[in-house]
Amino acid sequence: MSSWVQNHGTSEHSAGLETPLQAPNQRCWFILDPIGILCAMAAWALVLSGGWVLFRDLLIPSNNMLYIVANGVVFHLLASLALASHLRTMLTDPGSVPLGNPPGPDTVSYCPDCHSAIPRTACHCTVCQRCIRKNDHHCPWINNCIGEDNQKYFLLFTMYIGLTSTHVLLLLGIPVLCSYVRGEWDSSSTVSLPAPILFLLLVAIMGFLFAVVMLGSQMCVIYSDKTTTELLYQNTHSGGRWSKCANMKAVCGSHISLAWLSPFHSPEHYKVSEHHDMA
């Protein structure tokens, strides 16, 4: 298990130095982990197969062109944004500390595996085989660590997966509720779902539960300016150093805009301590 990385004219972060006002590093990054690759492929397969079942077994049989087009557009938009966010999270360097990084004012530890001095919040990932700045966790469904440089994309992935799943659950649930209100159900009524619809329901429920848990946990770590490990094991009840808005800007971008919702927009880096008064 290792990471494949190729630079494109920009250097990695330097531990102990102030983070400049610049876009994230433009790098090709991919983790060669068989389990992670299989999990990432499974995530795509679930979304794409769910979309196929939705059209074939739920939308097209309605014979309502407006219903098919409207819901088809909504599903494709949300699912496309979710998959684009997944790709950006997987292929973006999460904030790796350079191999052999020299000590600096920020140095708090030394990694014998990377032979690097590492700053606060950075820790070594045994799957990526690198030290990652602000390493929240390694997600097998993404096949990458979630760190300071790709946390926005992971946040968007969980949000769009949640919205996609909610949309599917509404399409499945509203007709059932309407038939119940019309009195089409009684004590002798039974529910028998076709296998494709049952599969779609299970996929939607799984996606919704995943999104609720991960989106909620990510909002907690962002607002508190901590990682999941820090929240669980270190100073659990202490708050972040800066305001919630400043912490969110550090992840999504310095200016609140629609670009926060785009997986195609790379947020510029800036040091929260220098900008927390802007919040």
Side-chain angles (χ1 to χ4, degrees):
M1 293 179 291
S2 60
S3 58
W4 183 84
V5 185
Q6 180 179 350
N7 292 319
H8 285 278
T10 54
S11 60
E12 299 186 4
H13 292 296
S14 297
L17 301 178
E18 297 293 325
T19 304
L21 298 173
Q22 62 182 11
N25 299 326
Q26 300 301 313
R27 301 160 55 84
C28 293
W29 174 276
F30 186 72
I31 304 302
L32 301 177
D33 173 33
I35 296 178
I37 293 173
L38 287 175
C39 289
M41 292 174 61
W44 274 68
L46 288 173
V47 174
L48 295 177
S49 60
W52 170 250
V53 172
L54 176 72
F55 268 82
R56 187 192 65 182
D57 296 273
L58 194 65
L59 296 184
I60 293 178
S62 68
N63 294 320
N64 185 328
M65 186 56 63
L66 179 61
Y67 179 81
I68 296 173
V69 172
N71 286 287
V73 169
V74 171
F75 177 85
H76 270 98
L77 177 62
L78 295 175
S80 297
L81 289 171
L83 294 178
S85 300
H86 184 278
L87 273 181
R88 289 302 301 270
T89 311
M90 181 171 60
L91 301 179
T92 298
D93 180 355
S96 59
V97 176
L99 295 174
N101 189 55
D106 242 7
T107 299
V108 296
S109 182
Y110 178 81
C111 177
D113 296 313
C114 296
H115 304 288
S116 302
I118 57 176
R120 189 184 71 86
T121 74
C123 64
H124 189 80
C125 174
T126 57
V127 180
C128 297
Q129 298 183 1
R130 293 292 293 273
C131 289
I132 306 297
R133 295 173 63 96
K134 207 168 184 180
N135 188 359
D136 187 75
H137 68 285
H138 185 93
C139 180
W141 299 104
I142 298 294
N143 188 36
N144 201 2
C145 277
I146 308 304
E148 69 174 15
D149 286 349
N150 66 350
Q151 191 170 27
K152 172 197 171 179
Y153 307 128
F154 183 70
L155 189 70
L156 291 178
F157 171 66
T158 58
M159 182 185 73
Y160 287 124
I161 283 293
L163 291 175
T164 304
S165 301
T166 301
H167 177 234
V168 173
L169 290 174
L170 289 175
L171 289 177
L172 292 172
I174 290 178
V176 175
L177 291 176
C178 290
S179 64
Y180 177 79
V181 171
R182 290 194 298 265
E184 297 176 3
W185 285 24
D186 54 35
S187 57
S188 61
S189 299
T190 59
V191 177
S192 178
L193 294 177
I197 298 299
L198 180 60
F199 167 78
L200 182 62
L201 176 62
L202 293 177
V203 169
I205 292 175
M206 289 170 52
F208 180 80
L209 293 177
F210 169 83
V212 168
V213 173
M214 297 310 301
L215 183 60
S217 66
Q218 286 302 296
M219 294 303 294
C220 286
V221 299
I222 291 173
Y223 281 163
S224 62
D225 190 27
K226 296 180 182 295
T227 63
T228 298
T229 302
E230 289 177 313
L231 281 181
L232 291 176
Y233 302 109
Q234 305 171 13
N235 301 321
T236 305
H237 301 292
S238 62
R241 294 173 295 172
W242 319 121
S243 70
K244 294 179 180 180
C245 185
N247 291 332
M248 183 61 72
K249 288 179 179 180
V251 173
C252 298
S254 58
H255 302 288
I256 300 176
S257 67
L258 290 177
W260 280 22
L261 303 177
S262 172
F264 307 104
H265 175 262
S266 299
E268 67 276 13
H269 277 295
Y270 73 109
K271 197 171 182 62
V272 175
S273 59
E274 297 174 353
H275 294 267
H276 67 278
D277 291 333
M278 295 171 54

